[in-house]
């Protein structure tokens, strides 16, 4: 059995609120044993500045293997330089990491300057090759920011990942893929894509409200109305020895 801590959309900026919420979640995760990996599926910085990524790097320090991917609020050059310690560059940011239990492949679904998502052809070719060659006896989790299906939240659905059939085609060639992990929606959701579980992490910085939910304390972004008072939360995904996958939602109160 392996356990994956899955969080998303920490949106670190210059203010204390986003940092406190991310620190609260990471403190909870870092106090746990037997976590195979921490997966953070995008929108790490709110404005994509080097200063924000310095805070992100500090906040995401963990005894557990941690893998991230960029979201629409992130900027590739600053992400590479400020978070990954790589030369700045504007190519898609894709990574692969392995633990004793699994392989984690993170993809860049961002389109610079736009809120919606698309996985570039070069990234899909890299994914195909990586799933063919990297630790082939281990299960694989594929991670990205933008969900490739509608979630029933109109404002989010308008800025999801599009042209998704190309991703489905690649995934169809690799039975080792266990699940897809993403973020962007700021609401925890479990659905499916390409015959696989699609696990959407809740937002750490805020919670997107569904169209039929009543008004509360709100903010607003391109994804729609937000509840700014709801405590941050995350998923723990458990891969059982028999291949079943179970997801547990965990709220982290102050």
């Amino acid at each position: 059995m392996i356990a994956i801590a899955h969080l998303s959309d920490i949106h670190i900026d210059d203010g204390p609120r986003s940092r406190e919420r991310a620190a609260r979640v990471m403190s909870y995760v870092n106090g746990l044993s037997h976590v195979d990996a921490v997966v953070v599926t995008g929108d790490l910085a709110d404005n994509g500045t080097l200063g924000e990524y310095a805070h992100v790097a500090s906040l995401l320090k963990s005894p557990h293997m941690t893998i991230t991917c960029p979201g629409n609020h992130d900027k590739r050059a600053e992400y590479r330089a400020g978070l990954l310690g790589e030369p700045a560059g504007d190519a898609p940011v894709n990574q692969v990491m392995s633990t004793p239990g699994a392989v984690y492949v993170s993809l860049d679904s961002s389109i610079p300057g736009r809120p919606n998502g698309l996985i570039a052809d070069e990234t899909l070719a890299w994914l195909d090759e990586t799933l063919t060659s990297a630790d082939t006896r281990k299960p694989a989790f594929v991670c990205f920011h933008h969900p490739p299906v509608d979630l029933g939240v109109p404002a989010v659905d308008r800025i999801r990942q599009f042209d998704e059939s190309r991703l489905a085609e690649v995934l169809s060639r690799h039975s080792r893929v266990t699940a897809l992990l993403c973020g962007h929606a700021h609401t925890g959701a479990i659905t499916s894509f390409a015959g696989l579980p699609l696990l959407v992490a809740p937002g750490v910085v805020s919670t997107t409200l569904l169209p039929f939910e009543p008004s509360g304390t709100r903010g607003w972004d391109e994804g729609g109305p937000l509840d700014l008072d709801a405590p941050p939360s995350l998923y723990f995904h458990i891969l059982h020895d028999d291949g079943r996958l179970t997801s547990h939602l965990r709220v982290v109160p102050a």
Side-chain angles (χ1 to χ4, degrees), residues 4 7 14 17 51 59 61 74 81-82 99 112 153 158 233 237 247:
I4 303 163
L7 56 144
D14 289 335
R17 180 182 176 277
L59 288 162
K61 286 181 180 177
D74 293 302
T99 67
V153 184
R158 287 193 291 269
S233 55
H237 306 304
S247 296

Side-chain angles (χ1 to χ4, degrees), residues 125-156:
W126 177 85
L127 172 65
D128 204 8
E129 172 59 27
T130 299
L131 291 173
T132 299
S133 60
D135 284 340
T136 55
R137 286 186 279 186
K138 295 178 182 177
F141 293 87
V142 177
C143 316
F144 42 81
H145 183 62
H146 296 80
V149 294
D150 287 352
L151 300 177
V153 184
V156 173

Side-chain angles (χ1 to χ4, degrees), residues 1 6 22 25 33 44 49 55 57 84 98 117-118 121 126 131 145 166 213 217 227 233 237 241 250:
M1 185 183 83
H6 179 199
V25 171
S33 58
L44 308 184
T49 68
H55 288 302
L84 303 181
S98 294
L118 178 79
D121 289 340
W126 177 85
L131 291 173
H145 183 62
R166 298 153 48 254
E213 289 188 292
T217 302
D227 185 338
S233 55
H237 306 304
D241 293 339
R250 188 63 69 244

Side-chain angles (χ1 to χ4, degrees), residues 190-201:
I190 296 176
T191 183
S192 62
F193 173 74
L196 293 165
L198 176 66
L199 312 173
V200 187

